[in-house]
Amino acid sequence: MTDEKYEKLPPFYGALKKFAKKKAALWSTPGHASGNGLKSCPAGKDFYEFFGHNLFYADVSSSVEELGSVLEHQGPPAEAERRAAEIFGADVTFFVLNGTSTANKVVFFATVAPGDLVLVGRNCHKSVMHAIIMNEAIPVYLTPKPCAYGLIGPVGFEQFSQKSIRAKIAASPLATNKKAAKVQLSVLTNSTYDGVIYNAEKVKSLLAGSARFLLFDEAWYAYAAFHPFYEHRYAMSLCFKRRGHYPPVFATQSTHKLLLAFSQCSMLHFRQGTGSEKLDLRGLVEANLMHASTSPFYPLFASLDVNAQIMKDSGYDLLNKALNAAVRFRSAIRRAGERYAKKGEWWFKAWQPERKRLELDPKDWRLKPGDKWTGMVISEEDDLILDPLKVTLLTPGVNADASMTDLGIPACVVKKYLQARGVIPEKTGFYNLLFLFAPGVSTERAAELLRILHDFKLEYADNAALSEWFPDIAAAYPGRYEKTGLADLCASMHAYLKQADIMRRSASLYSELPVQAVAPHKAYYGLSEGKTEYVRLADAPGRVSVFMVLPYPPGVPVIMPGERFPAADSPVMRFLRLNEEFDNLFPGFETEFHGVKKTWENGKTVYWVSVLNKTKKGKAA
Ligand SMILES: *Cc1c(COP(=O)(O)O)cnc(C)c1O
C-alpha cells in the first residue's frame, strides 16, 4: 500500500485512515484500546461487531502526533479546516463537534461581553438564547412576519434599518445605554425553517451601521455556496458589484442536517469585514477551546473533512439533482391538485409561487408584495426567495387571510398516518407539513411519499377506523376514539380549531411582545438561587418566566426567559390556553412544548410554567 493512496483523500481523513491501518499499539486513552477491551463481554462484543473494527482503530486520542491537533489547529486538522474555508468561501473555518448549538455559543463567546446588546430574531434557535444567558447579553428582538398559514415568517427588511434598530434600543427596558447606536452582534436565521431565504448581501449592508458583528445561523443551509440559485443569499457569498462596507461576518452550519456528515458535525465560518472593525482571531480560537472537549471524536472530524471534499468535487451536481427532484415533486403535487379540483375534491397544496411552471430561476421563487400564496404581508424592500428544497405541504383548512374553510384536515392527523407508514416529516403545523429534499433523498423516495399521500386521501374518504391506523392511541385512550374514523377525527378537530380561530390567533402572537422584566440570565439564575416556583398557566399573567416557552407549532418562542406573562386576554395567553384545551379534547395528539410542564389531574391535562418568586413588596420579580 503506498502513501499516495492516502494523499488522494482529504487531509485529515487520509491521515486518520493511514494511522488506523497501522494498527498501532496504543498506550493511551481511549481505554477500549482499539476496541479490544470490548470483546470480553457480550454487549461490548456485539457493539464492536456492529460498528466494525475500523471505527475503533480510528477512535484515538490527541496523543497521536502524526494526526496533529484538532484543538490547537495544527497538522492535518488545520489543513482540513483551511481547505474547508477555501471551499466554503471563508477566511477561517472551524470544525465544531457539538453541532451548530455549540458553534453559535462559540460565536457569542468570541464577540459578546456581559451587558452587550444583541439583536436577535425571535425565530432564532434555542442555542442562541442559551448563548445570551451564558454571556449575560441583553437581547433586542426582531419579530418574524405573521403568516396566515402558521409558518415561521422571516424578519421584514424594514427592521434592519438604523432607525428601526435605534428605536428598539431606546425602547428596551433592559438596555443601560439607550442612546447606543450599535448592537454588538446581530443573529439572523438564514434560511428560516420553512425555507425563506434573505438576500444576505443586502442584509449585511443594511446592518453595517447598526451591528459590530453579524451571525447568520445557516444550520439548514450549508449547501448555499454550491449552486448559483443561491447567489448573494448566504453569509459567505461575495457580492462583487456592491462590495460596500460590511462588518465581520460569521456563518454557522449544521453539516449533518442537509449535507452528508454525521450528527453533531458543524462548521463555523468567518470572514473579516471590509471596514475598520476587525475581530481578534485569538478570541475565536479561545472561545472554541472553551466549548470543545479535550477528547474530540476523530471520526466526526473526518466526516467534516470528507464533506468539504464532497462539496468541492460534486457540490453543484448534488444540489442540482436535489433541486430538480424537489421541483418535480412540487409539480406532481400541483398537477394532482388540478385533477382533483376538476372532480371537486380536496388535495394538498405545495406552499410556493402560483405559476404554471417553476424553473430554477430565483426570480420565480421571490416572495413579492401582494402575492396571496405567501400568507404574509411582503413589502417592496423585502428581498426574500423560497428555497425549493424545503417543501411545505398545506392541508385543507386555511385561507390566505387566516380565515378557515369548511373542510379541514389538521396536519397532525396526516403526520400520524405518515408515521404509521414509516414516513417522518421534518415539522408539522396546524395545517402544514414540511419535507426536506436533502441531497440524500432519492427520486424513488419522493415517488413513494406521493403514493402514500394518495393513500391517505383514500383512507380518509373511507373514514377508516382510527384503531386500524393508530392502534397505540386507540389503546391508550379506550373509549375516546371508539367508532371514530379518520374523517370523523379530522372533522371534529377542525371544528374545534375553527371555532377557536386558531390561525388568526397564531398569526397575532407577535402583534404585541411581552414586557422584558429582567435579563434572561437573571431569570435563569433564579433557579440556582432557589427563587422560582411552578404556577398553573391560568395564574401566570404578570409573573416573570424562567424559561423560554415554545410551542410546536408554530415552533417560535412566545415568551422568552425574563419576560412577563401578559394579561389573560392577550394573544399569547389565549393561544397557550387553547393548546391546553386541545390536549384535553384530543388526547394522543397533544402539542409539543418547551418550557411547559404538563401534569395529569382528575382526568385532565394541566399546564404549569416556571416563574420567579414574587419579591417582598409583593410585586412579581
Ligand atoms: C438545528 C439548529 C441549530 C442547532 O444545530 P445542531 O447542529 O443540531 O446543534 C442551530 N440553529 C438552527 C436554526 C437550527 O435549526
Side-chain angles (χ1 to χ4, degrees), residues 98-104 123-128 189-191 193 217-220 252-257 263-266:
N98 192 32
T100 299
S101 306
T102 292
N104 283 341
N123 54 353
C124 69
H125 186 253
K126 46 185 168 237
S127 58
V128 173
T189 311
N190 191 35
S191 68
Y193 293 95
D217 181 338
E218 297 183 339
W220 295 92
T252 49
Q253 301 175 340
S254 295
T255 321
H256 66 94
K257 276 186 177 163
S263 288
Q264 300 200 357
C265 287
S266 175

